[in-house]
Amino acid sequence: SVYLIFSKYGNIKLGGPDEKPEFSTFTWFAMLFCGGSGAGLIYWGILEPVYYLNYPPFGLEPLSAAVAPYGEAYGIFHWGISAWAMFVIPAIGFGYMTYVRKKPYLYPSYACRDVIGAKASDGIIGRIIDAIVIIGMVGGVGTTLATFLPMICNLGADWLGIERTLAIDLVFVAAFGCLFGYSCYKGLYSGLSKISDLNMYFIFILLAVVFFLGSTGFYLSNYVDSLGILVRDFFRMSMYTDPIAKSGFPQDWTVFYWAWWFAWAMYMGLFVARISRGRTIRSIVLNMLLTTTFGCSIYYMTVGGHAIDLMLNQGVDLATMLANEGDVATITYVVNQLPFAKLVVPLLVLTMLISQVTAVDSVSYTMAQMCCDRIEDGQEPPKWSRIVCSVILVVCVFGLILVGGGNVVK
């Protein structure tokens, strides 16, 4: 990835030399960032510091001053440059193949054409490759939604003052399905791009509210300290295996995240390639590595900083709460400790809902494209295929929630 930035290949534009970007820089980044993160940054932005401070790496003392910056540093490490570097390679590969080499189809099977041969790529083997990728995307999105939607449902029910039941969960899922189904039906230009813009505006408002109404001084100081730790220990964090103490930290977190990002790399590569026509390889790589990392770090500075403030400065035992009451109840408690929680919670719920709509919409759009026999440059998949893919994803979430939700996912 770094080589592509500084080499002559960084000047190559995806498309002709005079090609103009399909989307404004703001809209393009909104689709890029929201498609790769969704509501996960809020979910893990709160929970990861709880785990890291109570079960820290490198043999550090739990809940000590020395471990405080690692609560944010490790979150930024996992969600930032390390993750997006994995997405760069397929994104540039698919984009270069489609817009520079003028290969006509944006499919995983077509990307394998030079390896397995044209006959196999166009035949049953190619269809099997595409089907495996689609099934993986359905499973990945289904489990992701079954993890994050209960959090949204719990926050919404708690704010409304009603008991969270299975019926309430299904109502939230149905509303979510209608919202992202409509966005996917409208397509890339009228649906996904517009809702991504809206999502970014809500994210800006949410993070600004949390930052200025919360412990602003602590958020800033711990954030700067965390960035210093990240820069200093980046390579150690990347190579950490803990062979002597065998705490399991790198296996449970870093290896898990890397496997997760590898699983999502194919989808993100296809999606980023689709929206990046008219941009240079250098600008794509720089934004995927640096701008997204900065965006992730702001999440951890605010929502993560709030959780750290509760544990270290206010003495709240979030680890015990997490062990006894679960992740959803812990996140609800943390959010409700924000100043003006009655105003912040509905904004947070709406932001998470739209964030997840944006992420799943991009997956559904990519699935619909791959399910069609031939979608060439400049074409969009038919509306009926987008609706079918949306329904499949919603049905998966309904099924997972009905049989146990988060426990089944785990």
Side-chain angles (χ1 to χ4, degrees):
S1 298
V2 173
Y3 172 74
L4 290 174
I5 296 173
F6 295 103
S7 72
K8 62 181 181 180
Y9 301 108
N11 295 320
I12 295 175
K13 183 177 287 189
L14 299 187
D18 300 322
E19 192 86 44
K20 300 297 182 183
E22 286 186 275
F23 305 96
S24 69
T25 299
F26 180 83
T27 299
W28 174 74
F29 179 75
M31 291 192 288
L32 173 73
F33 182 71
C34 299
S37 58
L41 273 173
I42 297 177
Y43 180 89
W44 288 112
I46 293 174
L47 290 184
E48 279 190 71
V50 178
Y51 284 108
Y52 298 157
L53 266 63
N54 286 276
Y55 312 99
F58 309 129
L60 296 171
E61 182 182 350
L63 297 175
S64 63
V67 80
Y70 283 96
E72 292 180 22
Y74 249 107
I76 301 169
F77 170 72
H78 287 145
W79 282 82
I81 193 169
S82 297
W84 288 91
M86 298 182 192
F87 300 155
V88 164
I89 304 304
I92 298 302
F94 283 122
Y96 183 83
M97 176 188 70
T98 304
Y99 300 125
V100 179
R101 297 292 297 274
K102 304 300 181 183
K103 302 295 184 180
Y105 308 118
L106 200 59
Y107 300 113
S109 58
Y110 204 88
C112 300
R113 193 181 185 89
D114 292 336
V115 178
I116 64 177
K119 183 177 180 181
S121 175
D122 295 337
I124 186 64
I125 295 178
R127 296 294 178 267
I128 291 174
I129 292 173
D130 292 337
I132 290 173
V133 173
I134 292 170
I135 292 170
M137 291 169 67
V138 172
V141 172
T143 53
T144 299
L145 287 176
T147 300
F148 297 149
L149 281 180
M151 170 184 64
I152 298 174
C153 297
N154 200 72
L155 284 169
D158 183 74
W159 184 76
L160 293 172
I162 59 178
E163 182 182 359
R164 181 191 162 199
T165 62
L166 178 60
I168 295 296
D169 284 0
L170 295 181
V171 168
F172 271 92
V173 172
F176 170 82
C178 292
L179 187 59
F180 102 81
Y182 174 77
S183 174
C184 192
Y185 173 80
K186 295 295 289 184
L188 192 62
Y189 301 100
S190 300
L192 182 55
S193 62
K194 303 299 183 185
I195 202 168
S196 296
D197 286 349
L198 180 64
N199 188 30
M200 287 302 292
Y201 294 134
F202 274 111
I203 289 173
F204 290 149
I205 295 171
L206 172 67
L207 296 182
V209 167
V210 174
F211 179 74
F212 288 110
L213 295 183
S215 303
T216 306
F218 176 76
Y219 296 162
L220 276 174
S221 60
N222 195 57
Y223 174 67
V224 173
D225 200 11
S226 300
L227 291 181
I229 290 290
L230 178 60
V231 172
R232 187 194 71 183
D233 290 352
F234 179 82
F235 288 103
R236 187 186 182 193
M237 294 159 79
S238 300
M239 303 292 183
Y240 181 46
T241 59
D242 200 12
I244 305 301
K246 297 181 180 179
S247 64
F249 183 95
Q251 291 78 18
D252 292 342
W253 290 104
T254 304
V255 175
F256 163 75
Y257 266 119
W258 284 356
W260 193 3
W261 303 138
F262 270 123
W264 280 106
M266 180 68 72
Y267 140 68
M268 280 302 296
L270 288 165
F271 180 67
V272 173
R274 173 62 187 85
I275 64 175
S276 298
R277 181 174 183 172
R279 299 185 182 276
T280 64
I281 289 177
R282 180 176 291 110
S283 68
I284 295 170
V285 176
L286 281 172
N287 277 282
M288 290 185 73
L289 293 183
L290 301 182
T291 314
T292 55
T293 299
F294 175 73
C296 294
S297 72
I298 299 303
Y299 266 100
Y300 276 93
M301 178 184 70
T302 50
V303 295
H306 175 58
I308 294 171
D309 182 45
L310 288 176
M311 288 184 288
L312 298 184
N313 296 333
Q314 301 182 38
V316 179
D317 190 356
L318 293 180
T320 300
M321 184 183 301
L322 182 61
N324 295 335
E325 301 181 35
D327 51 359
V328 173
T330 303
I331 291 172
T332 302
Y333 174 84
V334 171
V335 171
N336 281 325
Q337 302 313 302
L338 288 166
F340 303 101
K342 285 297 181 182
L343 298 177
V344 175
V345 169
L347 176 61
L348 179 66
V349 170
L350 189 58
T351 303
M352 288 192 298
L353 194 62
I354 297 177
S355 294
Q356 206 57 40
V357 165
T358 309
V360 178
D361 191 356
S362 59
V363 175
S364 183
Y365 183 91
T366 305
M367 283 174 53
Q369 178 175 280
M370 292 171 57
C371 287
C372 295
D373 184 53
R374 288 291 182 266
I375 298 291
E376 299 190 20
D377 181 23
Q379 289 183 316
E380 286 198 290
K383 291 183 177 180
W384 67 265
S385 67
R386 294 179 235 156
I387 293 298
V388 168
C389 290
S390 301
V391 170
I392 290 173
L393 293 175
V394 172
V395 169
C396 285
V397 178
F398 267 119
L400 283 170
I401 288 179
L402 286 172
V403 298
N407 292 329
V408 175
V409 172
K410 293 175 184 176

